[in-house]
Amino acid sequence: MSNFKFADRIAQLPPYLFAQIDKVKKEVAARGVDIISLGIGDPDLPTPDFIIDALHASAKKPVNHQYPDYEGLDEFREAVARWYNGRFGVELDSTNEIVNLIGSKEGIAHFAMAFTNPGDLNLVCTPHYPVYPIATSFCGGETKFLAQVEENDFLPNLDEISAEDWERAKSIYVNFPNNPTAAMATPEFFQKLVDRARETNTIIVHDAAYTEIYYDANKKPMSILETPGAKDVAIEFHSLSKTYNMTGWRVGMAVGNSQLIAGLGKIKTNVDSGCFQAVQEAAIIALDKGEPYVEENRKVYRERRDIMIAALKKAGIECRVPDATIYLWAKVPAGYTSADFVTKVMEEKGVVLTPGSGFGEPGEGYFRISLTVPSERLEEAAERIASL
Ligand SMILES: *Cc1c(COP(=O)(O)O)cnc(C)c1O
């Protein structure tokens, strides 16, 4: 009998956030309950037809059937540069400040391999997307968490990082608009972060997956690269996933400091062979022509947000009105932990929520709602939660 032991990096993984929830969910489903899942951050709306049509045309070209270049088509990187300039007023050199990704998660995970040595320290602002500390741990690095709490509008307090940690840290991971808290960075916050990072030679890894899902055109989320000096220290990860309902397509980009992009490129050229060119060509069309469709998406999410916020209020559940993302970050009623509350709502009401504690310790006392089901189902879910 063979008996293979997992490598330490796998054996040390924290328990999977949704494992326990999945188990309860299966039990509830087996009872025949009509389950409403507000648990997963995956848009339910389809990819717009014009993008699918573009993929269809591109898939028919034999040149696209061969290995792509790991860094992405020139035309893709030029489209990203155009889009960043149009949306954020940020100038990017498509030859060395942009790399194509097979989804931004791929890039975030691989980036740590390029700059994190065993024993290196990375700072992660939490609640957080799990891949940041996991990628660090896969490289033998150490993570220190920096809490993002409600009293500070869910922004990290950079003054809590000791001078010693600033000196020691290789990178700091930030994500705005934030999953799960929906917090948005202010220009002052980004400026302070960039200044500190430049003073201490620290890499800023900014995950910007949700900049296009905003609710108020007067409060558009920023790219960190809009901040003076950011290009000296920052790499920003972006993605077509949430913007154009393309999570399954696996296409994104990293942009920013050319040395950071080159490091990521060195890893990628050794471990993957790039993103299907037909997908990249469809992505170019999405970036160039997608804005009217994204605006329609925003309207849908805004309606859903308002329905759910009103329903939570009626149920006596506290929740800030988010200015961006597809999430609500709500307070667990008194007397429950996040996990208890989420388990009870699922067992008794068949509504799947995500416990805030799954995103890190400061998430305890909160739960996340994904606005990824139609309004009628959201209303139904809200009624069920209120009747608990
Ligand atoms: C959805 C999401 C992404 C995007 O991931 P892709 O790999 O590009 O699909 C990145 N970061 C966060 C925080 C997300 O929630």
Side-chain angles (χ1 to χ4, degrees), residues 103-105 129 132 175 179 207 209-210 239 241-242 250 327:
S104 60
K105 189 177 182 183
Y129 195 51
Y132 317 141
N175 163 220
N179 173 14
D207 180 355
Y210 295 97
S239 167
S241 286
K242 310 294 167 32
R250 312 313 303 134
Y327 306 112

Side-chain angles (χ1 to χ4, degrees), residues 22-156:
D22 280 349
K23 201 174 132 226
V24 180
K25 185 173 158 186
K26 281 206 185 93
E27 286 161 16
V28 174
R31 298 203 309 257
V33 174
D34 165 34
I35 289 181
I36 305 177
S37 181
L38 311 179
I40 292 172
D42 193 348
D44 58 311
L45 301 166
T47 307
D49 275 338
F50 78 102
I51 303 174
I52 299 170
D53 293 343
L55 174 71
H56 190 233
S58 289
K60 290 200 164 189
K61 293 194 241 162
V63 65
N64 286 339
H65 302 164
Q66 295 185 286
Y67 284 122
D69 290 328
Y70 79 89
E71 75 269 27
L73 288 167
D74 292 347
E75 294 81 1
F76 173 82
R77 286 176 291 139
E78 284 157 13
V80 169
R82 271 198 301 283
W83 185 78
Y84 255 82
N85 195 3
R87 168 65 175 88
F88 300 113
V90 168
E91 299 271 355
L92 293 167
D93 182 339
S94 65
T95 65
N96 63 2
E97 293 178 334
I98 300 175
V99 67
N100 167 263
L101 299 173
I102 310 170
S104 60
K105 189 177 182 183
E106 173 265 299
I108 293 166
H110 281 144
F111 182 73
M113 293 174 70
F115 291 94
T116 302
N117 275 322
D120 280 353
L121 173 67
N122 288 334
L123 305 169
V124 170
C125 299
T126 183
H128 62 277
Y129 195 51
V131 68
Y132 317 141
I134 288 175
T136 296
S137 140
F138 279 179
C139 297
E142 178 195 335
T143 294
K144 271 199 189 175
F145 291 103
L146 184 60
Q148 308 182 106
V149 297
E150 187 150 10
E151 299 74 59
N152 198 33
D153 293 328
F154 295 109
L155 296 180

Side-chain angles (χ1 to χ4, degrees), residues 126-128 145 147-149 329 338 356-366:
T126 183
H128 62 277
F145 291 103
Q148 308 182 106
V149 297
W329 186 240
S338 294
S357 50
F359 299 99
E361 205 204 301
E364 179 54 53
Y366 295 87

Side-chain angles (χ1 to χ4, degrees), residues 281-332:
E281 289 186 352
I284 294 169
I285 304 284
L287 289 167
D288 282 342
K289 303 211 157 62
E291 184 52 27
Y293 298 84
V294 184
E295 187 51 32
E296 287 307 305
N297 267 359
R298 290 183 194 115
K299 282 189 193 139
V300 172
Y301 286 127
R302 195 180 295 122
E303 181 187 295
R304 293 175 178 180
R305 176 197 68 167
D306 293 343
I307 286 172
M308 201 65 196
I309 289 280
L312 290 174
K313 202 166 178 188
K314 240 166 80 186
I317 291 175
E318 261 182 74
C319 181
R320 287 194 178 198
V321 183
D323 289 320
T325 77
I326 57 178
Y327 306 112
L328 302 184
W329 186 240
K331 272 226 167 102
V332 168

